[in-house]
């Protein structure tokens, strides 16, 4: 007959095959679910400063964008039984003469399942500095702020979704 190790190997192979199939079926129950959260971003203060580059030993100055905003988001539709946590971030996207496509993350937050933080009401946010690698922010009229998130599931894909876009304009002058 078969040895003990052969039977043990067959049992584990069958158990892991069944476990993989159950995980696939669990993933398929939420893969086509498209969340529609209610998100609003109101920008309250926009200014541009010219600051020296702090990472180089040069006298070159770059634009520093100062953006403060209020964020209201009801993310209860994003959470389902397969969502472990959310990684939220507000990203600024813009175009300059130097670079065709720029993306800068200016705020982020991790929300764990069961924390009760599915509804975000935050005011006066800016967590990270908003530097441009030149002088592309002064007078830029097409900077888009958007709330994006990555839903970290128990099983399945890591989708990058977003909602709540607002277009802002930077002034034509530098703040002192």
């Amino acid at each position: 007959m078969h040895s003990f190790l052969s039977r043990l190997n067959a049992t584990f192979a069958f158990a892991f095959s069944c476990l993989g199939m159950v995980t696939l079926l669990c993933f398929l129950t939420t893969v086509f679910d498209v969340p529609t959260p209610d998100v609003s971003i109101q920008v309250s203060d926009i200014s541009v400063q010219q600051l020296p580059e702090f990472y180089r030993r040069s006298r070159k100055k770059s634009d520093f964008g100062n953006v403060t905003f209020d964020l209201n988001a009801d993310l209860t539709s994003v959470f389902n039984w397969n969502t472990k946590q959310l990684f939220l971030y507000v990203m600024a996207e813009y175009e300059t003469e130097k670079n065709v496509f720029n993306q800068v993350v200016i705020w982020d937050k991790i929300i764990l399942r069961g924390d009760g933080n599915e509804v975000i009401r935050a005011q006066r946010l800016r967590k990270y500095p908003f530097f441009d690698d030149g002088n592309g922010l002064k007078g830029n009229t097409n900077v888009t702020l958007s709330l994006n998130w990555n839903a970290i599931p128990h099983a399945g894909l890591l989708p990058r979704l977003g909602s709540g876009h607002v277009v802002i304009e930077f002034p034509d002058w530098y703040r002192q």
Side-chain angles (χ1 to χ4, degrees), residues 47-92:
S47 63
V48 180
Q49 290 178 297
Q50 201 171 33
L51 299 176
E53 292 183 354
F54 58 89
Y55 56 89
R56 292 185 189 165
R57 293 183 184 223
S58 70
R59 298 181 187 257
K60 183 180 174 188
K61 292 188 176 185
S62 295
D63 285 353
F64 172 71
N66 188 11
V67 179
T68 55
F69 58 93
D70 300 335
L71 174 67
N72 294 317
D74 183 8
L75 301 169
T76 53
S77 67
V78 178
F79 280 94
N80 55 35
W81 71 270
N82 194 21
T83 305
K84 188 186 307 183
Q85 69 182 19
L86 287 181
F87 176 68
L88 299 172
Y89 56 99
V90 174
M91 186 167 41

Side-chain angles (χ1 to χ4, degrees), residues 3-119:
S3 69
F4 173 74
L5 291 178
S6 176
R7 290 179 184 178
L8 188 65
N9 183 25
T11 304
F12 276 118
F14 178 71
F16 281 119
S17 297
C18 290
L19 184 64
M21 198 56 128
V22 169
T23 304
L24 177 67
L25 292 174
C26 291
F27 160 67
L28 289 176
T29 62
T30 59
V31 71
F32 300 111
D33 184 25
V34 179
T36 56
D38 184 28
V39 175
S40 70
I41 301 173
Q42 291 91 23
V43 178
S44 57
D45 182 30
I46 303 170
S47 63
V48 180
Q49 290 178 297
Q50 201 171 33
L51 299 176
E53 292 183 354
F54 58 89
Y55 56 89
R56 292 185 189 165
R57 293 183 184 223
S58 70
R59 298 181 187 257
K60 183 180 174 188
K61 292 188 176 185
S62 295
D63 285 353
F64 172 71
N66 188 11
V67 179
T68 55
F69 58 93
D70 300 335
L71 174 67
N72 294 317
D74 183 8
L75 301 169
T76 53
S77 67
V78 178
F79 280 94
N80 55 35
W81 71 270
N82 194 21
T83 305
K84 188 186 307 183
Q85 69 182 19
L86 287 181
F87 176 68
L88 299 172
Y89 56 99
V90 174
M91 186 167 41
E93 297 179 355
Y94 61 99
E95 184 177 327
T96 61
E97 293 177 9
K98 197 176 194 182
N99 298 315
V100 176
F101 189 63
N102 297 292
Q103 290 181 324
V104 178
V105 174
I106 59 175
W107 178 83
D108 67 356
K109 183 174 182 169
I110 295 174
I111 299 177
L112 299 175
R113 180 184 184 89
D115 279 351
N117 292 332
E118 288 85 11
V119 178

